[in-house]
Amino acid sequence: MQRGAVQKWMFIVLSLGPAYGGYLLFTLYPNILSVYYSLLQWDGMSEPRFVGLDNFITMLGDKYVWRALGHNLLLMATIPPLVVLISIVLAYLLVYKNYKGSSVLKVLFFFPNVLSTVVIALLWTFVYDGQFGLLNGLLEAIGLKIGHFYWLGEEKTAIWALIPPAVWGGVGFYIVIFINAMSSIPKSLYEAAILEGATHSARMFKITVPLIMPVVRVGVLFLMLGTLKGMEQVLILTNGGPSGSTDVIALYMFNLAFGMEYHNYGYASAVGMFLFVILVSAKLLLDKFMPNRGVEY
């Protein structure tokens, strides 16, 4: 083998080896083990006992799994569309409206993405606080007297209270993504549309959105998958309460494996396999109903 080819392969191994090694060790290998664990009855300490598909049969009759799935689907039906719509509108305004101080606005919009998920969740616990919360204060300032209402402590409002933190924390990142996508659209298309008398809304939904659809599709995919498998904000804001009204599948699986009451790694792994099937199904549905290619110009 020539010296140049040897150096090429050495560079590939040294540059990609650590990343692939980490992926195999910390992602792929644990996932493969989860498939095996899902066939066991095991608490992590005692001798594991092979039970075959019993965990999956039990899961089909577990009402808490289906309740958690319902909450996941509700969040998936609200958070990704809101994040994408708000991000597209704000990105369009920043690119084509030429506001003074638009660079400052970009920084302000992106600021929540600098914060960790834990910090965002803790901030919103203060917003929703019944006694000193910002939300109750604003409602009282406009004349709505609701007293010391705890938004995260009521079953009817807790699940809906999870949506604003997720939207607020996700919009800034996708604004930056959509701004970069919009910057590649030829200005001549908008000039022709202006001559035809098209309004800003018509230009945005007839020109901008179709042309950046591949980017939008990727954004929707990441948001859907993140909403389905995410649990950090739910854990901090409500921990699945009150009375399980905000429980999601990932949090339910976490509590089964590491909770105070249960240490059922086998059943938790079976729930994880169920979540994996849901994620794959969501990806296939997105491929079917959302175009993979944008409009060409």
Side-chain angles (χ1 to χ4, degrees):
M1 187 179 292
Q2 296 181 354
R3 182 181 179 86
V6 173
Q7 292 178 343
K8 174 183 176 181
W9 281 107
M10 287 183 61
F11 172 78
I12 292 175
V13 171
L14 293 176
S15 58
L16 299 182
Y20 276 103
Y23 173 77
L24 293 174
L25 182 62
F26 297 110
T27 301
L28 186 60
Y29 178 65
N31 288 336
I32 294 174
L33 278 182
S34 295
V35 178
Y36 171 65
Y37 290 155
S38 67
L39 305 176
L40 305 176
Q41 182 179 343
W42 185 44
D43 61 2
M45 298 292 293
S46 61
E47 187 71 20
R49 183 168 64 90
F50 183 81
V51 294
L53 299 178
D54 285 358
N55 286 327
F56 296 96
I57 296 172
T58 302
M59 183 179 60
L60 293 177
D62 188 347
K63 63 179 181 180
Y64 300 112
V65 169
W66 300 107
R67 180 183 66 181
L69 176 60
H71 297 154
N72 275 111
L73 294 178
L74 174 62
L75 296 176
M76 189 182 70
T78 52
I79 293 174
L82 286 174
V83 171
V84 170
L85 179 60
I86 295 172
S87 300
I88 288 176
V89 171
L90 293 178
Y92 180 88
L93 293 176
L94 289 173
V95 172
Y96 299 109
K97 276 290 192 176
N98 295 322
Y99 291 117
K100 292 182 178 179
S102 60
S103 58
V104 177
L105 292 175
K106 293 178 184 177
V107 173
L108 291 177
F109 289 144
F110 190 76
F111 175 72
N113 292 94
V114 179
L115 306 175
S116 68
T117 303
V118 175
V119 173
I120 292 174
L122 291 175
L123 285 174
W124 279 86
T125 57
F126 291 108
V127 173
Y128 289 134
D129 184 75
Q131 191 169 3
F132 305 105
L134 177 62
L135 180 57
N136 284 354
L138 291 175
L139 293 176
E140 290 185 6
I142 61 176
L144 296 176
K145 303 294 183 180
I146 62 172
H148 298 316
F149 186 81
Y150 284 83
W151 297 88
L152 297 174
E154 296 290 334
E155 293 185 27
K156 294 182 179 180
T157 58
I159 187 66
W160 300 103
L162 298 177
I163 298 173
V167 174
W168 183 74
V171 162
F173 175 77
Y174 288 97
I175 287 177
V176 174
I177 297 298
F178 293 149
I179 284 177
N180 291 331
M182 292 177 189
S183 299
S184 64
I185 300 176
K187 293 183 179 180
S188 59
L189 297 177
Y190 294 101
E191 294 171 353
I194 292 172
L195 293 176
E196 294 291 335
T199 62
H200 273 290
S201 60
R203 279 177 262 164
M204 182 172 63
F205 290 106
K206 297 294 185 179
I207 299 176
T208 306
V209 173
L211 289 175
I212 66 170
M213 185 54 67
V215 179
V216 173
R217 181 182 177 278
V218 173
V220 172
L221 175 62
F222 285 150
L223 286 166
M224 286 177 57
L225 300 183
T227 303
L228 280 172
K229 68 179 183 179
M231 54 162 275
E232 296 87 353
Q233 285 192 359
V234 180
L235 175 65
I236 296 168
L237 288 170
T238 65
N239 195 23
S243 301
S245 60
T246 59
D247 202 11
V248 292
I249 289 184
L251 181 58
Y252 182 58
M253 176 179 64
F254 175 81
N255 287 328
L256 283 173
F258 307 107
M260 297 296 293
E261 299 181 9
Y262 306 100
H263 293 284
N264 194 338
Y265 290 98
Y267 188 48
S269 297
V271 175
M273 293 300 100
F274 179 54
L275 178 59
F276 173 75
V277 171
I278 296 172
L279 292 172
V280 173
S281 301
K283 171 64 168 60
L284 294 176
L285 288 173
L286 185 66
D287 290 340
K288 181 176 179 61
F289 294 106
M290 201 166 183
N292 192 26
R293 297 180 61 185
V295 176
E296 298 181 357
Y297 52 84

